[in-house]
Amino acid sequence: MNDCYVELLKNQFCSNWIDCEANTYTDARRQSFHNSLKGLYEELKGWTIPAGADDSLKQDFTILFEVFSRWSEVISMNTDKMPHREILICLERILYDWLGSEADKYLLTLSDGEYLYRLPICKLDVLNNITEGFWHVHFDTFPIELALPKYFSEDMFFNVVLFHELGHFVESYYDIDDKVFRQLEPLLKDLVNNQTIVNQSFPFLAGKDAIDVADEKKVRSHICEYIADLFGAQYVSNHIMNYASYKLDKTLDKDDEEHPCWNKRNEHVTLFLTSSVDNLLINAIKDVFAKINKEGLIIRFCVLDSKYFLEGKPHPISNDAEMVSVYKHIWDMYIQGCAPFIAVSDADDWRKSNFGIHRKLTELAKVSINLYRPV
């Protein structure tokens, strides 16, 4: 591997960092992460590749420098001026539900991009072994990178997708997809006698006797998406599917290698929320989650009182569950249209258009979350 390329990536990180150095944070954990990146910059700006480094080590350096550059961008989106702090506040509370004190090792961050969860390059201890060994820099926390389009950064509606993306992190943290697959594997190896699992969740397996290697990869990917959907639905109900519906439009019955079709995903969310039909995949997912958290995969949202937002007032929040439920609440109210708002009063212009209601609900949701003070 060309030494010049490795040096170039290092210099790109150092150049990126100069633009980030003056960032300020109200959150001590973000400030600590910033300080670690600053220490890394101080070490790297005069660093050269060790003599005799082989291609494998150089490859490790290139990956790390690319990641460090991305982290400098990510932390710049998570300063004390960040516009999306409300969704982070809610997601952080959820993270502690599932990781407990281990959540202290992770830093939820948002970056620009299509909605997704970015898998980390390695674990925190592995990263520190490298950074401490070469550059004497220690990281107390490891970023969980959730991407959202920058133009949606202040949107309180489509950002419900981030509940799904956090579900991908929790799923990967506990290897839930593999555990679910192993539970279903006997059925998938004998599809002739187990058509129910095909009809319910994996229609692309129709007509096959058993899954092959290619099928297994697709099944695993689809399981991951079903898990993330159900995880998000715990907190925002069926609104977890709203963005996917908007994006897919007329292809609701088309699946791909990674994602089940929208119709199947929506069907599973509905079944989870209503428990109206026995579903083999949902049962397996719930079984695995129950071994992680004694409450398991359950409905965690609250029904909030609509009178406050109808009157144009913030909703008083008394606990974490109510705070997170604000995201479901504004969708519930928005899709009703103008009539309920005008029925309370028609004196305010914002009540008379979907645009005005959208802006008002966004404002009230943010204020409600920010006024909440956990006991």
Side-chain angles (χ1 to χ4, degrees):
M1 178 172 287
N2 192 315
D3 288 9
C4 182
Y5 178 61
V6 180
E7 289 281 354
L8 176 63
L9 290 174
K10 179 209 77 171
N11 291 332
Q12 285 174 341
F13 161 68
C14 292
S15 295
N16 289 345
W17 180 252
I18 292 172
D19 297 329
C20 308
E21 197 163 3
N23 288 348
T24 57
Y25 312 86
T26 53
D27 182 286
R29 297 173 73 243
R30 284 176 173 75
Q31 184 64 56
S32 174
F33 184 75
H34 173 101
N35 293 343
S36 294
L37 281 176
K38 180 179 180 179
L40 194 62
Y41 162 74
E42 295 293 342
E43 291 282 337
L44 282 175
K45 63 183 179 181
W47 178 88
T48 57
I49 301 171
D54 60 21
D55 281 350
S56 175
L57 185 57
K58 292 175 186 177
Q59 180 66 31
D60 289 342
F61 288 144
T62 63
I63 294 171
L64 285 171
F65 296 152
E66 288 174 350
V67 170
F68 296 152
S69 289
R70 190 169 78 236
W71 283 357
S72 65
E73 174 192 344
V74 166
I75 201 63
S76 287
M77 284 189 66
N78 292 268
T79 67
D80 56 4
K81 297 178 181 178
M82 60 187 178
H84 40 253
R85 66 185 305 273
E86 293 80 18
I87 187 67
L88 280 176
I89 291 170
C90 293
L91 294 177
E92 283 171 348
R93 296 315 309 158
I94 292 172
L95 193 63
Y96 279 94
D97 285 345
W98 293 97
L99 269 65
S101 61
E102 286 294 300
D104 290 333
K105 296 179 181 178
Y106 295 92
L107 186 68
L108 268 174
T109 59
L110 299 180
S111 58
D112 184 28
E114 193 61 27
Y115 288 110
L116 58 84
Y117 159 60
R118 287 197 175 104
L119 285 166
I121 57 162
C122 61
K123 298 193 176 191
L124 181 62
D125 56 347
V126 176
L127 174 77
N128 276 326
N129 284 340
I130 299 172
T131 58
E132 289 174 353
F134 282 99
W135 305 301
H136 313 293
V137 174
H138 177 81
F139 286 85
D140 293 322
T141 56
F142 196 95
I144 299 173
E145 293 186 60
L146 303 179
L148 79 166
K150 192 172 287 185
Y151 52 87
F152 281 155
S153 62
E154 293 194 67
D155 187 88
M156 297 290 289
F157 288 85
F158 281 155
N159 282 351
V160 296
V161 180
L162 293 175
F163 291 85
H164 169 101
E165 301 306 335
L166 185 63
H168 279 308
F169 167 75
V170 174
E171 169 263 307
S172 65
Y173 183 87
Y174 289 109
D175 293 323
I176 295 173
D177 64 317
D178 184 65
K179 292 169 183 173
V180 170
F181 178 81
R182 296 301 175 196
Q183 190 163 323
L184 297 176
E185 195 170 18
L187 306 180
L188 296 169
K189 285 186 173 181
D190 182 13
L191 295 174
V192 174
N193 293 310
N194 293 289
Q195 282 298 296
T196 300
I197 192 69
V198 175
N199 296 332
Q200 287 182 340
S201 305
F202 308 109
F204 61 88
L205 295 176
K208 298 192 175 186
D209 295 335
I211 60 170
D212 56 25
V213 173
D215 291 331
E216 179 176 333
K217 182 178 179 181
K218 188 171 180 178
V219 166
R220 285 179 176 273
S221 293
H222 284 204
I223 286 173
C224 287
E225 294 305 319
Y226 284 126
I227 290 169
D229 286 340
L230 300 190
F231 182 91
Q234 294 180 104
Y235 301 98
V236 295
S237 188
N238 60 321
H239 299 309
I240 199 68
M241 300 304 302
N242 290 359
Y243 182 70
S245 174
Y246 158 75
K247 291 289 286 185
L248 294 171
D249 193 20
K250 296 180 180 179
T251 60
L252 302 182
D253 60 346
K254 305 285 186 184
D255 63 18
D256 58 35
E257 292 303 306
E258 294 184 355
H259 295 79
C261 69
W262 184 91
N263 286 336
K264 274 294 177 186
R265 292 172 63 184
N266 190 55
E267 177 183 306
H268 281 66
V269 167
T270 301
L271 291 175
F272 166 68
L273 294 170
T274 61
S275 301
S276 58
V277 175
D278 193 42
N279 180 284
L280 296 170
L281 174 59
I282 293 175
N283 290 345
I285 293 172
K286 291 173 76 172
D287 285 346
V288 173
F289 268 96
K291 294 171 184 174
I292 296 167
N293 178 313
K294 64 181 180 181
E295 292 182 327
L297 201 67
I298 59 172
I299 293 174
R300 297 173 183 270
F301 56 78
C302 304
V303 177
L304 302 183
D305 192 337
S306 61
K307 74 174 185 178
Y308 295 100
F309 285 5
L310 287 174
E311 294 172 358
K313 300 175 183 176
H315 193 295
I317 304 298
S318 60
N319 55 58
D320 290 349
E322 289 183 354
M323 176 183 68
V324 174
S325 298
V326 166
Y327 280 87
K328 172 186 180 296
H329 189 55
I330 58 173
W331 265 113
D332 288 343
M333 299 197 69
Y334 179 74
I335 61 179
Q336 295 179 66
C338 302
F341 294 90
I342 294 175
V344 174
S345 169
D346 61 1
D348 303 314
D349 286 343
W350 65 266
R351 300 175 179 277
K352 301 171 184 177
S353 69
N354 287 328
F355 171 71
I357 290 170
H358 175 274
R359 284 181 62 84
K360 192 65 174 181
L361 287 174
T362 297
E363 171 197 328
L364 293 172
K366 288 183 176 183
V367 173
S368 299
I369 291 171
N370 284 310
L371 287 176
Y372 169 57
R373 296 292 182 271
V375 177

